[in-house]
Amino acid sequence: MARNSFARAAAAEQGGNLEQARALYLESLDAEPRNPKALHRLGVVESRLGRPREAVALFQQSLAIARDLDVYLDFGNALSAISRWDAAATVYGAALRVAPDSVDAHYGLALSLHRQARPQEAEPHYRKVLATHSHLGEVHNNLGVALQDLGRLAEAAAAHREAVRLDPADAGAWSRLGVALHGLGQGGEAEAAFRKAVGFAPRDAESWHNLACLLEANGRMEAAIAAGRLAVALDPASARNWLALGNAAHAAERREEARRAAAVAVRLNPSDPTARNNLANALRALGRLRDAVAEYRAALDLQPDFPVAEVNLALALSILRDPDGALAVLRRLIARQPENGDAWRRMGGVLAEAVRPDLAVAALRNAVAVLPGDPDSHADLAMAASICGWSGLSADACRHVLRLAPDHAAALGQLVHEKRLLCDWRELDGLETRLLRRVRDGAEGVPPFDVLSCASTLADQRSAAARWAAAKARGVTPVVRPPASSSPSCADGRLRIGYLSSDFREHAMGHLMVDALETHDRSRFAVTAYSAGIDDGSALRRRFERSMERFVDLRRQTDADAARAIAADGIDILVDLTGFTTFSRTSILAARPAPVQVNWLGYPGTLGAAFVDYIVADPVVIAPGEEAFFAERVVRLPDCYQPNDRHRAIADATPSRAECGLPEDGFVFCCFNSSHKLTPALFDGWARILTAVPGSVLWLYAGTPEVAANLLREGEARGIAPGRLVFAKPLPHAEHLARHRLADLFLDTLPYNAHTTGSDALWAGLPVLTRRGTTFAGRVAASLLLAAGLPELITDGEEEYEAAAVALARSPGRLRVLRERLARNRTACPLFDTPRFTRHLEAAYLAMWDIHRAGDAPRSIAIDAGDAGGSASAAQEGKETT
């Protein structure tokens, strides 16, 4: 009867009547409980009925009675069905002891080991199967996955290629081939493989996910976003699909879409630290820095050892102007991972922003030691060294960058600038030519200030500035300003003027502007100074703080918070005094905190920005007809765009010539301009001047021994004896002005003139000889001289300049007349008449505001010389289309 029940059970099983088969197998076992075949087949039926645990128990009973290969194989399958991979591997191993050549046992063991993250042990079993069954594409695929897990990508790709050869319509095989090729850096072939996969299985979300990741890695962001959107549409419950979409949107600067995608990923998998980090990145890009910090901290709560999130958290804290918090995070990370180059680099950035460039250099030296092939680390080191004044180190770091990334425009510009500062003119012509070619080719990242000292045109300068400004404005959200009104927003009817600067301190710009800001008519103008720079504790800083109606320190505020603060103050006209110089905060302007925004004084050129309305100039520095080269509308003051401080102290005591290293007799030419303004061609001319004036010397400012050594070498190459070049050491400002009395004539530079140094010389009573250039930076000294009443000291060519210098040196009487005129004019000439200057500036502000109040677009303005009374009736030039 038992035999009859077993036969009927087997027939029912074969016919698919599983419940009937189960009952008959049980009937058979009632009659013969230790029948291994009945136990085996009942186990198979239980598996097919979805009861693998019951099946496992039956297979164990069967094997306890008799060792049978088929039972082992079915036992292994049942264990695999409940993800008992360790037990399944044990069973398949036992099967191989029964039948060492069993293909099924080798394959089952391979899969079980692979599922336990033991690909190295799985590999030989996959290969054993393929030795006799090479036609099985699925096995080639699984072998490929194991090889990829082992990092053997080329072998993995070969295995997947064989799989798709065997079954060209296998979408999964094409997708896995794409993954291997992507890992090998073969982007084009990888994309083709993924395209095959989605062609054969257009609803396979995995393949669309893989394609999105590849396209994002290859910089094809729009295509990556499209693929990512398909992946999430097909499988919206997959957090990794949302992460892929978010990564692509973040890279494409689609910030809100990136945030939404990352937020969904976090909702689907709230315990995934990577999703939290990605959401934080998206929030940071949106300017929601405090929310980003919370998400970074949540990621680190889930995974405390998460260096990427730690570095990102430090970056967010740094942007929030919390350097102490950022440094605390980084120090903890570096204590754990002293070889983490990203952490050292971020620490260098935080320290540089905190104006600790010496410590920043130390940190960045560690970064480049750990990451010698990372151009950005070398670029950061170059910048920190430059802030320290270590031009040699900065130049070396720039060279490293350019070896690693030959098209790195910022490093090229900085290298040119550092070589100029060092007066190391070797190879300079070629570097400048290369830099200007990059500007004219439309390269991004060329620092505009570095272009000013080159033989650049106004068009070059606008081109570089426009791209720089656009980069600074990227991602900036405009602030909400108080409701516009037809009259000044100040409750007492005064126009609110805000001055934004990093230089309210002992700085050239500070000395120039302090008197003009102090002399504003407070009955008509409410003046606020917004300081974005350091408090250096100087007397000049204290003077700014005392004399301004309001002095607001923004240094610890983010750009966004600073812009909101300015907007909340109801500023009508915001004047940027820093431009593209060190520690500028251009992103504040990009947020448009004021309805009228002005570029003045700090930067001798256009900012190239749509968010700046006007540039304050004069008819000399921006000649009529040059408006097209300026993104701003040009406001021309009648005398000189540059203010001066009537209270600049000049020390009473004059040092002796001997104390300054000068000869007792002989003509003293001098130039106290920054060394970056000196050029080989200029030095050629100075050598000719010295040769033509026997016994004369050239007195220069050299900030470092390296600069002096380079200039002595260049002088010797031009036949100048070393004793004819004398170098001035740094002195306090009043003493520096006093030593001007020892010189006879100040020789100006080109293409970048004396600016503050020129007005310093004239204030100290020293005539300045200049050449008029072709750009703003090269015409400032001409403007100063016209306003000082010394137009005959302006020349228009190299020969005229050299001839004038020699003639003046040979004509002491004529030079004395010039000195006497300068002395007489000092208290009366427009250059040093600060109240007159400020009335003209105020007239310009009123004209700007009248245009804005009328609802008109900004247009050029010319202030009449007779408008020193400060009326708002300044002449306004015709509207422009450029």
Side-chain angles (χ1 to χ4, degrees), residues 615-637:
I615 180 171
V616 176
D618 60 51
V620 176
V621 292
I622 301 180
E626 293 179 341
E627 289 81 4
F629 299 109
F630 293 81
E632 310 89 339
R633 293 302 178 257
V634 178
V635 178
R636 292 183 177 89
L637 304 185

Side-chain angles (χ1 to χ4, degrees), residues 143-211:
L143 172 61
V145 174
L147 292 167
Q148 187 161 329
D149 291 343
L150 291 168
R152 291 155 59 185
L153 298 180
E155 294 174 75
H160 294 310
R161 285 189 195 281
E162 182 62 14
V164 297
R165 186 191 68 80
L166 291 166
D167 185 358
D170 185 346
W174 282 111
S175 186
R176 285 185 282 273
L177 174 59
V179 171
L181 292 169
H182 184 189
L184 287 167
Q186 298 175 19
E189 291 184 68
E191 182 178 350
F194 289 138
R195 297 283 183 195
K196 284 275 192 180
V198 297
F200 288 119
R203 300 193 62 78
D204 178 32
E206 176 75 13
S207 295
W208 286 111
H209 168 272
N210 290 338
L211 180 58

Side-chain angles (χ1 to χ4, degrees), residues 759-772:
S759 57
D760 277 348
L762 294 170
W763 179 250
L766 178 62
V768 175
L769 179 69
T770 191
R771 280 173 59 194
R772 194 191 328 252

Side-chain angles (χ1 to χ4, degrees), residues 451-624:
V451 178
L452 299 182
S453 298
C454 298
S456 57
T457 65
L458 288 171
D460 295 331
Q461 293 176 13
R462 176 166 182 171
S463 178
R467 283 187 288 275
W468 192 266
K472 294 295 183 182
R474 201 167 290 143
V476 173
T477 302
V479 299
V480 177
R481 298 195 298 259
S485 70
S486 59
S487 61
S489 60
C490 197
D492 55 14
R494 294 183 298 162
L495 195 65
R496 291 186 184 270
I497 309 296
Y499 289 100
L500 174 65
S501 179
S502 296
D503 301 324
F504 294 119
R505 56 191 170 96
E506 187 62 39
H507 186 277
M509 290 299 103
H511 283 285
L512 286 180
M513 63 182 152
V514 62
D515 196 7
L517 271 57
E518 288 172 336
T519 54
H520 265 305
D521 181 351
R522 300 302 169 84
S523 69
R524 294 189 300 160
F525 298 90
V527 179
T528 302
Y530 293 102
S531 176
I534 62 170
D535 179 354
D536 61 356
S538 65
L540 187 57
R541 171 72 172 208
R542 300 287 85 84
R543 182 178 166 190
F544 275 116
E545 292 175 341
R546 286 193 310 270
S547 60
M548 296 299 100
E549 187 168 348
R550 293 179 67 239
F551 189 95
V552 180
D553 192 342
L554 298 177
R555 186 170 165 236
R556 292 291 188 180
Q557 294 194 35
T558 68
D559 289 346
D561 287 344
R564 283 191 284 269
I566 294 169
D569 286 343
I571 294 298
D572 299 312
I573 300 176
L574 180 63
V575 184
D576 179 49
L577 296 166
T578 306
F580 295 139
T581 59
T582 307
F583 304 121
S584 64
R585 300 279 295 275
T586 309
S587 295
I588 295 176
L589 291 171
R592 267 290 183 180
V596 177
Q597 301 194 153
V598 181
N599 167 22
W600 175 47
L601 191 61
Y603 185 76
T606 182
L607 297 184
F611 48 80
V612 179
D613 305 296
Y614 295 100
I615 180 171
V616 176
D618 60 51
V620 176
V621 292
I622 301 180

